[in-house]
Amino acid sequence: MPGKQVWIFNIENMSLSNIKRVKSSEIELKDRLVSIQRVAKVTKGGRTFSFSAIVVVGDENGVVGYGLGKAKEVTEAITKGIDDAKKNLIKVPIIKGTVPHEQYGKYSGGNVLIKPAVHGTGVLAGGAMRAVLESAGVTDVLAKSLGSSNPHNVVKATIDALLKMRDAYTVAQQRGVDLNKVFNG
């Protein structure tokens, strides 16, 4: 039809271009325990307890990852969580200690909103979100958890929001234009 435009997007390249896998052997990582749960399994002989731990690791310089560990002992669960987190590291764009732009993240029932903040604000975020953002190296940010308070979903939603972040240089590369054109049109 005349006057009708057809837009073709390569969704696969856009969504995967920001996922930058990082090797854990190359960097010094600090781990943070987000939550630990005691799980009881009722058997014929009584209750059997096990523990699940969700752990966040990061170098506080733009690299962050999360992992889940399950074991009969707390220390084993935490160790397994750290090992799992080191396998799921991603690179996050950080500009002057804050995130490049406002972004929503969603995972299951967990919804989060992350906004950039001026220097000196600090990390205004609750529990599980704070652990992820501080491990990533964000020093100034405004964040709000809008959905579920379940730490598993909040951590995954925060990682989702951080994955969607793009700095100006990445945007310029994806659009195939000069960096000045991104800002000035």
Side-chain angles (χ1 to χ4, degrees):
M1 299 174 96
K4 193 171 189 179
Q5 289 183 328
V6 178
W7 295 89
I8 300 171
F9 290 105
N10 191 347
I11 295 169
E12 290 154 3
N13 285 348
M14 287 178 73
S15 62
L16 296 175
S17 63
N18 199 31
I19 301 174
K20 299 174 194 91
R21 294 272 176 213
V22 182
K23 289 208 164 56
S24 61
S25 58
E26 299 168 3
I27 46 179
E28 181 75 29
L29 295 170
K30 295 178 184 171
D31 56 273
R32 285 172 162 245
L33 180 66
V34 176
S35 85
I36 193 149
Q37 303 275 226
R38 188 181 78 169
V39 182
K41 177 179 156 186
V42 180
T43 59
K44 183 169 66 175
R47 292 189 192 100
T48 306
F49 294 109
S50 66
F51 297 89
S52 72
I54 187 158
V55 182
V56 175
V57 298
D59 70 343
E60 296 179 354
N61 196 20
V63 176
V64 69
Y66 71 93
L68 176 66
K70 297 179 181 181
K72 299 277 183 196
E73 298 291 327
V74 176
T75 51
E76 282 180 46
I78 293 170
T79 307
K80 284 183 182 181
I82 292 168
D83 292 342
D84 188 34
K86 286 179 180 177
K87 293 174 190 170
N88 300 317
L89 293 176
I90 57 162
K91 184 89 176 107
V92 178
I94 297 173
I95 299 162
K96 295 180 183 173
T98 189
V99 292
H101 54 85
E102 186 178 315
Q103 187 64 58
Y104 279 96
K106 182 168 176 22
Y107 182 87
S108 187
N111 296 316
V112 298
L113 170 63
I114 300 174
K115 286 183 174 181
V118 295
H119 180 69
T121 306
V123 179
L124 299 180
M129 281 178 71
R130 176 180 289 273
V132 175
L133 293 168
E134 286 179 349
S135 293
V138 180
T139 54
D140 303 297
V141 69
L142 302 168
K144 181 71 181 160
S145 177
L146 302 167
S148 168
S149 60
N150 178 352
H152 293 266
N153 290 340
V154 172
V155 165
K156 290 172 187 174
T158 308
I159 294 284
D160 177 54
L162 291 174
L163 273 174
K164 292 177 184 173
M165 294 280 177
R166 301 186 304 169
D167 58 346
Y169 181 73
T170 310
V171 173
Q173 274 187 328
Q174 288 175 342
R175 293 181 187 171
V177 295
D178 189 38
L179 194 60
N180 291 331
K181 193 159 175 88
V182 173
F183 291 109
N184 304 327

